[in-house]
Structures are given as C-alpha cells and as structure tokens.
Amino acid sequence: MKKTVLITGGSGYIGSWITKYLLEAGHIVRLTVRDKSKREKIAHLEAVQEQQAGQLEIWEADLLKEGSFDEAARGADVLMHVASPFILKVKDAQKDLVDPAQKGTLNVLRAASQSGTIKKVILTSSVVSIFGDAKDMADQNLKEFTEAQWNTTSNLEHQPYSYSKTLAEKAAWDLHATQKQWKLIAINPAFVMGPPLGKNSDSESILFMKRMLTGAYKTGAAPFYFGFVDVRDVAKAHILAMEEDVQEGRHITVESTHSMLELANTIESEFNQQFKLPTSTTPTLLLYVLGWAFGLSWKYIRRNAGYPIAYNTTRSRENLGLIYRPFSETIRDMVHVMQERNIV
C-alpha cells in the first residue's frame, strides 16, 4: 500500500538508498533539506524519481530549529529519521555532534507526535549506542553484543560521535515512552560500506576507503576490528521496518566482523595489486607512537587495539527478515563505483 514517508537526511549516504527504494516501491517521499535552492545535492534522487512510480517532495527544515518539521510531518504515515552528523574530527563536540543528534532527534520526533497521522518512526541509530569501545565486551564478560547493551563508556572527550548517537537514541526511547501514537524501531548498523548513490558523497565511509586505497595505511594496518554492513542492506532494513508485523525495538545490523588487515586482504583478492594496501598489522606499541598522526588518542588505542568484537544479529534477520549481502560483494561494488567516479 502506498504511504507518505517523511525522511530526514534522505540525500545522504544511507538516506539516498532509502529514498531510492521508497520511490521504486511507489511511495510518496517527503525529503527534508536545510536549503531547497541547493539542487545539486538531490539531483541524483530527482533522476531516480523520473524513472519510478513514487513521488518526491522537497521540504525545508533544520534539525536545531524547533517546530521546523511540523508542517512536513502533517499527513505523513511514517517518519524515518536518518539525519545525524557523522564527523570524527570536531572542534566542539557538543555543538557539532551532540546538539544536532540529540536535540535534532527530539525536534523531529515531536513533529511526529504533532502530526496526528504518523504511526511508525524508524530511527537510524548505530552499534556505537550499544558499546563505545571494543574492550567493553571483555569488561562486561560478554560473548557478543546484543540489543540489551547500552554504551556507558563514551563522553564528550572520548568517542564523542558514539556519545552523540547514544544520547540521541536514548532521547528517542524516552520520548516514545510518553505517547502511544507511534511505534519506534531503531536500526543499529556497524561500519556502513558499499557504493554511494550520490555523486558528491562526503561520508566518512568513503573517506576511510579512499585513505585505504591511496596508501594511507600501506605501512601497516592498525589492530582494530569493525563490524561491517552494506549501505544497501541498511537501507533495506529501514524499508522492511515499515511492514505492519515488525515489532518495536533495536536491531543490530551487521553482516560480519573483520580486522583492518582482513579488509585490506579482501580488497587485494578482488583488485590484484591495483592499490597500495597494508600487508601486515602495525604493532600496538608502535601505534602509541604514530597514532596521533591519525587522530588516535592513547585511551582509544588502549581500549580498542587487539580486541575482537562480535554481534548478535538475530533480531535483524528474524524480526525484519533482512538478508545480508556478502562482505566481498560490498567491498567490490564500493571500490568499482569509487573508480568510476575518479574518487580513487
């Protein structure tokens, strides 16, 4: 059944794929932007709309402006709140990360309540709201992270991005508990990779892969482990969450976990000797000496270097019915698109 879906951040790395899938399914998509005059940021989505049955509407709204989402929310059936700054190097963590994430979430969800029509809210959260550092798993004597855990180790000085996502999701659940109009479903992806849909993606995922492919880590891969998931699967998770029988709750969205060296080896297996990739792991002791060059604090190194992580993804597979793409396909498609667009 055709629905009217309000989506924040719909022109970003994840949001673009969500918008594309919504338009392909014939839905009415209300996409919010801060400035409607900057058409270049949504040109790729307007091109998608021309070939699909769905309808794309562009609305202006600002995360930090109270009430600015009210008009766009009125008459909508579903709200997808995707917008949140993903910046790892900031001067003012409170202003640049926490305020847009936490206050923005509250502004958007209050608009859902004001609408009188929105029955389901789908929130793009992250696994970093579940844990802050890889060592958390050992500290809590866990075999794997589940949706039951919350990040208790991040703050404004240490892992401020993770802190912002934690506060934002907690704010969403707290507000949800005060009303009965809309259901809340959180999507908690790990490190999102895969091909960008937009031509001017400035996602940290793209920047990280660019550094990997252009030799920034060629002297050695840091001994860090990450959960990875395809951007298209994260988008599909949002679409699946719209189904009537999907239960409320959090959903860890991870295909598999790999070290940085394993990521490099996967790239090498797909693109033989095309890139300057690391072939060994940097000793942790050396990382303490060189880590500053990559913005790594001693505390981050101490709590993450050499600590494997694991996730339980049962809820995303069973409640959402999500089927994950293989990690190798994600990486291959991502690099191909980056080559086609001369990003590398």
Side-chain angles (χ1 to χ4, degrees):
M1 183 180 295
K2 182 168 72 173
K3 295 182 179 180
T4 298
V5 183
L6 172 62
I7 175 171
T8 72
S11 61
Y13 182 45
I14 297 172
S16 288
W17 280 104
I18 298 174
T19 301
K20 180 179 186 295
Y21 291 147
L22 288 170
L23 291 172
E24 288 176 348
H27 298 295
I28 298 172
V29 181
R30 293 181 180 178
L31 189 152
T32 60
V33 296
R34 278 182 293 181
D35 187 349
K36 289 173 66 174
S37 66
K38 295 182 178 180
R39 309 299 289 188
E40 68 277 5
K41 291 189 175 182
I42 58 172
H44 61 291
L45 298 175
E46 292 179 321
V48 170
Q49 180 198 8
E50 293 176 1
Q51 304 173 24
Q52 304 300 333
Q55 179 181 336
L56 182 65
E57 301 176 359
I58 309 300
W59 297 65
E60 278 191 354
D62 189 321
L63 286 175
L64 293 178
K65 186 177 180 181
E66 190 172 346
S68 68
F69 290 88
D70 289 357
E71 187 177 353
R74 197 168 296 118
D77 303 301
V78 178
L79 166 65
M80 294 190 181
H81 181 37
V82 185
S84 187
F86 182 16
I87 311 168
L88 298 182
K89 293 182 180 180
V90 293
K91 292 183 179 180
D92 186 335
Q94 183 69 41
K95 179 182 177 181
D96 298 335
L97 288 173
V98 173
D99 286 349
Q102 186 179 31
K103 293 181 180 179
T105 294
L106 289 174
N107 284 338
V108 172
L109 269 58
R110 284 170 182 152
S113 297
Q114 292 285 339
S115 72
T117 57
I118 290 175
K119 302 301 182 185
K120 183 172 285 188
V121 172
I122 301 165
L123 174 71
T124 311
S125 187
S126 171
V127 294
V128 299
S129 70
I130 288 170
F131 77 102
D133 299 298
K135 191 174 183 292
D136 292 354
M137 197 168 78
D139 289 346
Q140 298 175 41
N141 196 29
L142 301 171
K143 293 183 178 180
E144 58 187 7
F145 289 114
T146 73
E147 288 85 359
Q149 281 84 48
W150 281 93
N151 180 350
T152 60
T153 57
S154 298
N155 52 53
L156 284 175
E157 288 73 38
H158 175 65
Q159 302 273 51
Y161 168 70
S162 303
Y163 184 57
S164 74
K165 295 297 289 186
T166 304
L167 293 181
E169 190 186 339
K170 283 189 173 182
W173 286 112
D174 288 345
L175 184 58
H176 166 262
T178 68
Q179 56 79 56
K180 295 182 179 180
Q181 175 185 309
W182 43 267
K183 295 180 179 180
L184 179 59
I185 296 173
I187 308 299
N188 301 78
F191 201 167
V192 181
M193 305 290 270
L197 189 61
K199 293 184 178 180
N200 299 311
S201 179
D202 56 357
S203 163
E204 284 287 345
S205 299
I206 304 298
L207 296 176
F208 171 80
M209 182 60 85
K210 182 178 180 179
R211 290 192 291 268
M212 174 67 79
L213 299 175
T214 54
Y217 311 122
K218 64 180 180 180
T219 57
F224 299 137
Y225 292 81
F226 301 99
F228 291 98
V229 61
D230 195 294
V231 64
R232 294 163 292 187
D233 291 340
V234 177
K236 286 288 187 184
H238 287 72
I239 306 301
L240 291 167
M242 289 174 57
E243 298 297 327
E244 294 294 334
D245 60 344
V246 170
Q247 298 178 5
E248 289 187 305
R250 311 170 86 193
H251 298 79
I252 291 176
T253 313
V254 182
E255 192 278 330
S256 54
T257 302
H258 302 277
S259 67
M260 283 187 64
L261 183 59
E262 288 170 341
L263 168 62
N265 291 340
T266 299
I267 298 170
E268 179 62 25
S269 67
E270 299 286 342
F271 301 89
N272 186 33
Q273 298 184 352
Q274 291 187 39
F275 303 105
K276 300 175 182 178
L277 300 167
T279 57
S280 62
T281 299
T282 301
T284 301
L285 186 60
L286 184 60
L287 201 60
Y288 280 105
V289 178
L290 302 176
W292 64 270
F294 297 95
L296 302 176
S297 69
W298 279 21
K299 183 175 182 179
Y300 179 86
I301 296 169
R302 185 173 67 252
R303 294 191 55 80
N304 290 276
Y307 287 99
I309 51 178
Y311 302 92
N312 185 311
T313 60
T314 301
R315 290 208 79 234
S316 67
R317 298 175 190 273
E318 295 185 355
N319 191 36
L320 298 179
L322 184 61
I323 299 173
Y324 290 94
R325 297 169 189 265
F327 177 64
S328 58
E329 179 182 333
T330 297
I331 300 306
R332 182 178 64 248
D333 291 353
M334 183 179 193
V335 176
H336 275 313
V337 170
M338 292 177 69
Q339 288 177 316
E340 291 169 1
R341 298 183 184 170
N342 295 316
I343 299 175
V344 292

